[in-house]
């Protein structure tokens, strides 16, 4: 449909029909006869009984294809305006084929693969009738107490940008095209803005940060998604400097629409418009509707506010009426971009009839396996305990030994029955008579389970006394040559509403670790978690440690391959692992301060330091080991002085000096030595992940351009400033192989 027709369509709508387009409900509003709907879901949500559900514009989290066909068919029969429904869902890192959680994916540093798997996830959605996914989430995170760090690519701005771009391109296809082609769906970047920085890591808590911090570190991820063409943006639940994001006109109109040039649909987060009242920002429902409309929020997710209040609020107000028209037009445009006016099902009936669905295809499972292998991070490997020999007797112990709940909290269509657990993964490499398996401890003590609320029942019941589990584990370990201990937090301890003050392993699992470590057998610990846990105690006792995150459908197979060396670990952390809770937030790109903690100062008191803990984290950003070793040689640096249109070209040789083929991620960091605002001690500016065969050498080139040196300077403009820059190249933010400096000349010189 061309724009003229779309405008005509808009003009033909009554005000109720227009407002309906901005309302998002769940599927239950459309099931059963109108009497039951009125007394059921309508009442529950507080929707006026006069509200016509057949004006509603979109549906949330209905993911069953038959149901989608049924609802759409029925809706189109009953609606007067004949505008198809949009089906939106949280398919964050896989529909049925579940890929590793986003924090894990980012640790692969393999953005080509991230794009491919996002495309597969979109393909499964398309094949099952979903039009929009609420992904990617690109909130920067520095605080592992917050449960949703699992959904984020981590603490770094450049990586958030890469992740945003790869996801949007994978989900929607090539940027710059208006229409979304078959096999692709629309992407929604979230949560605008700065949702990842709640005070004290407590879910939904206030966010307070300077505009400099916001623009410099937090906004570029969303901006990259918009530049890649993301059709939707979702608001955040939090206040930002006192104003709730969902009612924040400055944030959504000036920053998002004017500065960031976003033209698509802005949807509220779940019930966030109504929550403007709880925030103490809106007086009542009518005020909330007015504030949200003024702030440019197009769609009201799952509340009765727009439906009940907008008409009254707008009455006779020409300005608000024009804002309503703009919002509705954007929703119609999205439907048009998806081709829904031509085919409201986007080929769904054909896909079903011809059984063409790509759900859980071999290709998708293989990609999930490969990305899972690249996402796991080898944190420690003393005496080269790993990879394991196939001839050794293994005691596989721990609550994750046979656990299929390794999909993470946002796998709404993921099915644990499709998941390969660790035992199955190991049995691909080791004979059954060389493997014993037992639990050793429950996932969580009873006291911690209660806090999980409705998820409590998902945890396995305690049928045997914990001590008996421990004794069995000690017996098995005694008889084995090596212990593989699969520990972790429960998937229900991270994700939304999963904030923790002590992000550690439960006491019972630590006790199991202590009891096994005194047996003096090689001890390999695998850690499953949705966040960096404090692993200081674990690291002191384990010989080897693999950070598995939640690896998804192919979990066990990926870990089996890694443990036995069929795959070589190459993941590198994208979020710092603190040594102790009190260090939080700890991140690599911090400021130097006026009193840096220098080694030569010893225990000098008046430096930026703790008196009871070192500043250094347990594992730094960018860190991760391999079964092989790499040596870097600096071959050349093209210049010492650089003008604005020149580049500093760096050439490095990377030699695989070990006995395994492997992948290495070289990281290039820059420090601006002196500027109109204090700049971080280092910032990731580029990286390369390369494959090098054992004994071979590969050359890697980096080019430093003037744009890479820009930042929001003292005048709030995005600029570079002349002067000295230091460059560090290494295998992590801590392990720097070499450093050099260059000078950026005054513009025009
Ligand atoms: C989450 C969003 C999600 C939405 C819809 C909210 O609770 O914050 O990320 O997309 O629910 O399910």
């Amino acid at each position: 449909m061309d724009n003229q027709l779309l405008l005509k369509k808009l003009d033909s709508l009554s005000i109720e029909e227009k407002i309906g387009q901005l309302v998002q409900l769940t599927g239950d509003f459309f099931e059963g006869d109108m009497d039951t709907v009125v007394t059921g879901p309508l009442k529950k949500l507080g929707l006026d009984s006069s509200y016509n559900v057949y004006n509603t514009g979109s549906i949330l989290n209905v993911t069953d294809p038959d149901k989608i066909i049924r609802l759409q068919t029925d809706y189109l029969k009953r609606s007067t305006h004949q505008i198809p429904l949009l089906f939106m869902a949280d398919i964050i890192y896989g529909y049925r084929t579940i890929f590793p959680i986003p924090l894990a994916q980012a640790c692969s540093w393999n953005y080509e693969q991230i794009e491919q798997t996002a495309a597969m996830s979109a393909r499964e959605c398309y094949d099952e009738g979903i039009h929009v996914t609420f992904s990617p989430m690109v909130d920067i995170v520095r605080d592992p107490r917050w449960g949703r760090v699992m959904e984020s690519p981590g603490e770094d701005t450049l990586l958030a940008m890469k992740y945003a771009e790869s996801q949007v391109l994978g989900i929607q296809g090539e940027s710059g095209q208006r229409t979304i082609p078959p096999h692709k769906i629309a992407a929604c970047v979230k949560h605008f803005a700065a949702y990842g920085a709640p005070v004290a890591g407590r879910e939904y808590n206030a966010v307070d940060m300077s505009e400099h911090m916001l623009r410099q570190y937090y906004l570029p991820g969303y901006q990259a998604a918009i530049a890649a063409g993301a059709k939707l943006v979702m608001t955040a639940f939090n206040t930002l400097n006192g104003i709730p994001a969902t009612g924040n006109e400055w944030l959504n109109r000036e920053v998002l629409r004017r500065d960031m040039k976003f033209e698509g649909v802005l949807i509220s987060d779940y019930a966030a418009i109504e929550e403007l009242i709880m925030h103490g920002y809106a007086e009542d429902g009518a005020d909330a509707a007015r504030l949200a409309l003024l702030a440019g929020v197009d769609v009201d997710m799952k509340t009765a506010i727009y439906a009940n209040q907008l008409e009254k609020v707008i009455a006779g107000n020409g300005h608000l009426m024009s804002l309503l028209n703009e919002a509705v037009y954007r929703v119609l445009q999205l439907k048009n971009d998806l081709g829904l006016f031509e085919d409201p099902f986007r080929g769904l009936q054909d896909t079903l009839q011809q059984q063409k669905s790509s759900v859980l295809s071999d290709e998708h499972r293989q990609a999930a396996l490969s990305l899972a292998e690249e996402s796991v991070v080898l944190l420690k490997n003393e005496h080269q305990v790993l990879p394991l020999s196939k001839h050794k007797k293994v005691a596989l112990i721990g609550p994750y030994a046979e656990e299929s709940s390794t999909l993470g909290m946002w796998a709404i269509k993921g099915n644990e029955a499709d998941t390969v657990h660790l035992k199955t993964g190991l049995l691909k490499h080791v004979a059954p008579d060389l493997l014993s398996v037992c639990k050793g401890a429950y996932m969580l003590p009873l006291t911690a389970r209660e806090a999980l609320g409705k998820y409590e029942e998902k945890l396995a019941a305690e049928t045997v006394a914990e001590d008996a589990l421990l004794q069995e584990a000690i017996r098995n370990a005694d008889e084995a040559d090596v212990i593989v201990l699969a520990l972790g937090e429960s998937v229900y301890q991270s994700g939304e509403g999963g904030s923790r003050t002590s992000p550690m392993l439960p006491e019972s699992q630590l006790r199991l670790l202590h009891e096994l470590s005194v047996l003096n057998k090689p001890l390999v610990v695998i850690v499953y978690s949705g966040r960096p846990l404090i692993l200081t105690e674990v690291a002191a006792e384990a010989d080897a440690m693999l950070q598995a995150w939640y690896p998804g459908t192919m979990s066990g197979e990926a870990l089996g391959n890694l443990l036995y060396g069929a795959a070589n670990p190459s993941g590198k952390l994208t979020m710092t692992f603190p040594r102790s809770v009190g260090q939080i937030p700890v991140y690599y790109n911090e400021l130097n301060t006026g009193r840096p903690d220098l080694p030569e100062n010893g225990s000098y008191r008046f430096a930026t330091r703790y008196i009871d803990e070192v500043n250094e984290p347990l594992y730094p950003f960018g860190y991760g080991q391999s079964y092989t070793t790499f040596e870097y040689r600096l071959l050349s640096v093209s210049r010492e002085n650089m003008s604005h249109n020149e580049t500093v070209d760096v050439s490095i040789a990377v030699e695989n000096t070990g006995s395994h083929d492997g992948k290495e991620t070289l990281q290039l960091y820059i420090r601006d030595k002196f500027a109109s605002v204090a700049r971080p001690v280092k910032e990731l500016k580029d990286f390369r992940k390369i494959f090098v065969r054992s004994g071979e050498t590969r050359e890697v080139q980096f080019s430093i351009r003037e744009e890479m040196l820009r930042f929001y300077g003292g005048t709030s403009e995005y600029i570079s400033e002349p002067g000295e820059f230091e460059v560090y190249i290494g295998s992590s933010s801590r392990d720097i192989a070499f450093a050099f400096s260059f000078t950026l000349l005054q513009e025009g010189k």
Side-chain angles (χ1 to χ4, degrees), residues 61 90 134 148 190-191 234 237 269-270 301 410 496:
N61 282 345
D90 288 284
F134 295 131
R148 296 191 84 169
K190 63 190 188 184
H191 304 81
M234 187 184 290
F237 285 128
D269 200 348
Y270 197 105
M301 187 195 289
W410 262 125
E496 186 170 350

Side-chain angles (χ1 to χ4, degrees), residues 24 60-61 89-90 92 133-135 137 148 151 188 190-191 195 203-204 234-235 237 268-271 301 410 412 496:
Q24 179 161 95
L60 167 69
N61 282 345
D90 288 284
I92 314 296
T133 174
F134 295 131
S135 186
M137 167 173 141
R148 296 191 84 169
E151 282 176 72
C188 174
K190 63 190 188 184
H191 304 81
Y195 178 44
E203 184 66 290
Y204 314 129
M234 187 184 290
T235 66
F237 285 128
S268 78
D269 200 348
Y270 197 105
M301 187 195 289
W410 262 125
I412 62 169
E496 186 170 350

